[in-house]
């Protein structure tokens, strides 16, 4: 078993970064190794807004993900108030992780990704590539001021 963590700063306000990364309908466009992600059930009522759940309660969604050409069942928990997205996938590698968006300064965020797996792959290198790709994608696609 191994735990891995990597962080980067991103020149985007935390609320904007969080909105992009917590939008499950568009998450695959931000994470390079994630080919597709589809909900396998209706959007839960707790996803309708903070008034529909307890403070800091996760919105749990079961998903089907495509990674490297293979489909896997998984889950995602989104905790809006804490800007935390946790995930896991079924399979032999006990793979799960979380991403956290933190405030650094006006217009700057810190993105941290933690992964737990028993896979023997080069996870640290993949985390760095993932963070670099997210940073480039998000900074490049910022809304422009009118």
């Amino acid at each position: 078993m191994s735990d891995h963590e990597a962080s980067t700063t991103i020149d985007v306000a935390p609320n904007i970064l969080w909105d992009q990364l917590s939008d499950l309908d568009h998450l695959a466009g931000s994470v390079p190794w994630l080919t597709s992600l589809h909900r396998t059930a209706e959007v839960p009522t707790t996803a309708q807004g903070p008034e529909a759940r307890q403070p800091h309660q996760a919105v749990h969604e079961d998903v089907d993900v495509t990674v490297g050409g293979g489909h896997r069942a998984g889950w995602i928990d989104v905790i809006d108030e804490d800007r935390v997205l946790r995930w896991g996938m079924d399979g032999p590698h006990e793979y799960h992780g979380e991403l956290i968006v933190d405030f650094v300064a006006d217009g700057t965020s810190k993105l941290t990704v933690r992964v737990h797996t028993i896979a023997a792959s080069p996870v640290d290198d993949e985390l760095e590539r993932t963070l670099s790709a997210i940073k480039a994608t998000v900074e490049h696609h910022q809304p422009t001021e009118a």
Side-chain angles (χ1 to χ4, degrees), residues 1-125:
M1 276 186 237
S2 59
D3 293 306
H4 306 269
E5 180 176 317
S7 297
T8 191
T9 56
I10 298 177
D11 292 330
V12 174
N15 61 319
I16 294 171
L17 176 60
W18 175 249
D19 286 347
Q20 289 185 295
L21 294 177
S22 64
D23 180 355
L24 300 188
D25 294 327
H26 297 98
L27 184 60
S30 298
V31 179
W33 51 264
L34 183 60
T35 306
S36 70
L37 181 144
H38 303 283
R39 291 177 173 90
T40 57
E42 293 291 321
V43 176
T45 57
T46 53
Q48 303 306 313
E51 66 281 353
R53 62 184 179 277
Q54 297 294 318
H56 308 283
Q57 176 186 1
V59 173
H60 179 87
E61 298 205 48
D62 292 321
V63 295
D64 178 63
V65 295
T66 304
V67 179
H71 291 280
R72 295 171 111 182
W75 56 269
I76 293 180
D77 286 344
V78 177
I79 308 169
D80 283 318
E81 297 87 352
D82 300 330
R83 293 192 198 116
V84 173
L85 187 144
R86 293 186 179 116
W87 71 87
M89 284 189 275
D90 295 341
H93 301 298
E94 295 183 25
Y95 179 76
H96 62 272
E98 67 182 0
L99 67 81
I100 303 155
V101 175
D102 289 310
F103 174 84
V104 173
D106 287 345
T108 304
S109 306
K110 177 181 175 186
L111 176 61
T112 302
V113 178
R114 295 182 182 124
V115 173
H116 171 82
T117 185
I118 60 172
S121 62
V123 176
D124 293 324
D125 292 341

